[in-house]
Amino acid sequence: MEDNIKVTGLVLNAKDYKDNDKIVVLFTLQRGKLSAIFRGVKKPKAKMKMAAQPFCFGEFILSERGNNYITTNCTLTESFYDLAYQTERFFAGCVVLEVIDYATIEGQPNEKLFLQSLKALKELTYETTNENVITAKFIIDTLALIGYKMNFTKCSSCRASVSRPYFSALRGGLLCPLCKDIDGSPIQLSLINNLKFIDNSDYERLSTIKIDSTASKKLLCFIANVFCELVGCSLKSLNNVL
Ligand SMILES: [Zn+2]
């Protein structure tokens, strides 16, 4: 019994499988995350060779056999290939793909996250906004979509305005000195102000942020660690950014 389905998907990662095949993790609009086998794609002239690589986006025809999906055809609409020429933006894109992988559950569609993922990758590939700022924005938005909306504006506990900021991911973000208890750690005012600006801005407005390279890396590292703490993972791709 075979059943062909058509999905719109983004390749998150690909692993070698058997002699000539690959197992590809796809984030799809219709079925959420799934693994699909690409047969024969390690042969030099394989038709779907290019599609079985991270960042490839397009339509995939999958044949459902038992618990497995076999990819029988695909049409790429975007490969974000220009990222390959921009090392730092490419590494930031790898963080985006890994965050998607940890933020999604197999078989559960998330249309908003799907659209946000494409938006972030397009910004990294075709715009000039600082790549760490784009990636931080993507992580903040992703956290909100999976139930961890972070608060950077007022104390997460008493709602007061905060001039001496503390932060706790588990308690929802910013804390004032009175509410910090034992789990709030001090955070620089400039860092919290940048996070607030990023959270409240769309991607177009992000291009106006004034931040140097070192501060942008520190900011990305901070919010990535918040993601890891809340989701319970570590992001290998982050090592290339820092
Ligand atoms: Zn408070």
Side-chain angles (χ1 to χ4, degrees):
M1 180 71 192
E2 283 189 18
D3 198 7
N4 276 324
I5 58 164
K6 182 162 87 173
V7 292
T8 308
L10 170 71
V11 176
L12 300 183
N13 60 66
K15 277 190 299 216
D16 288 347
Y17 178 65
K18 295 186 179 169
D19 285 347
N20 292 309
D21 304 348
K22 283 194 175 189
I23 291 188
V24 168
V25 176
L26 281 174
F27 180 36
T28 72
L29 178 62
Q30 296 84 354
R31 300 204 170 196
K33 186 169 67 177
L34 57 85
S35 297
I37 296 169
F38 282 60
R39 284 195 173 142
V41 286
K42 285 162 73 186
K43 292 177 186 164
K45 288 182 179 169
K47 187 163 69 89
M48 294 192 293
K49 190 178 174 65
M50 290 308 291
Q53 298 187 42
F55 296 107
C56 283
F57 169 74
E59 279 191 346
F60 298 83
I61 309 292
L62 308 176
S63 165
E64 200 171 2
R65 292 177 203 174
N67 292 326
N68 291 320
Y69 290 105
I70 314 280
T71 312
T72 56
N73 206 348
C74 63
T75 313
L76 289 189
T77 44
E78 172 66 87
S79 65
F80 300 105
Y81 190 74
D82 288 3
L83 272 182
Y85 298 111
Q86 312 169 73
T87 311
E88 293 191 332
R89 300 182 87 79
F90 174 81
F91 286 143
C94 293
V95 175
V96 168
L97 294 188
E98 198 176 8
V99 165
I100 298 169
D101 197 6
Y102 281 116
T104 48
I105 297 166
E106 296 228 352
Q108 289 190 10
N110 188 334
E111 185 181 349
K112 280 187 180 164
L113 181 57
F114 190 82
L115 297 175
Q116 268 182 27
S117 304
L118 294 179
K119 177 75 178 159
L121 292 177
K122 281 183 180 162
E123 291 289 320
L124 283 174
T125 309
Y126 301 114
E127 302 299 333
T128 54
T129 306
N130 179 302
E131 66 276 5
N132 300 318
V133 169
I134 293 171
T135 309
K137 163 91 180 146
F138 176 72
I139 294 175
I140 291 169
D141 290 349
T142 299
L143 281 170
L145 281 179
I146 61 173
Y148 299 112
K149 171 79 183 145
M150 285 292 110
N151 183 3
F152 305 111
T153 306
K154 301 220 146 144
C155 173
S156 309
S157 186
C158 72
R159 301 280 142 195
S161 297
V162 181
S163 54
R164 270 206 303 137
Y166 292 79
F167 197 91
S168 163
L170 289 172
R171 288 176 61 194
L174 185 62
L175 290 169
C176 74
L178 292 174
C179 297
K180 72 177 175 67
D181 283 340
I182 48 164
D183 41 7
S185 307
I187 177 174
Q188 278 182 346
L189 194 58
S190 59
L191 176 55
I192 202 79
N193 283 338
N194 279 328
L195 287 165
K196 188 188 347 182
F197 178 82
I198 293 169
D199 188 28
N200 292 331
S201 302
D202 57 18
Y203 280 104
E204 286 66 34
R205 186 161 167 246
L206 280 192
S207 62
T208 65
I209 193 169
K210 289 181 176 54
I211 189 167
D212 65 34
S213 172
T214 308
S216 74
K217 284 180 183 174
K218 200 174 154 192
L219 181 142
L220 174 58
C221 186
F222 179 84
I223 199 65
N225 284 331
V226 167
F227 179 87
C228 291
E229 183 180 347
L230 293 171
V231 174
C233 66
S234 67
L235 296 169
K236 288 192 208 80
S237 55
L238 201 59
N239 296 330
N240 291 320
V241 173
L242 307 174

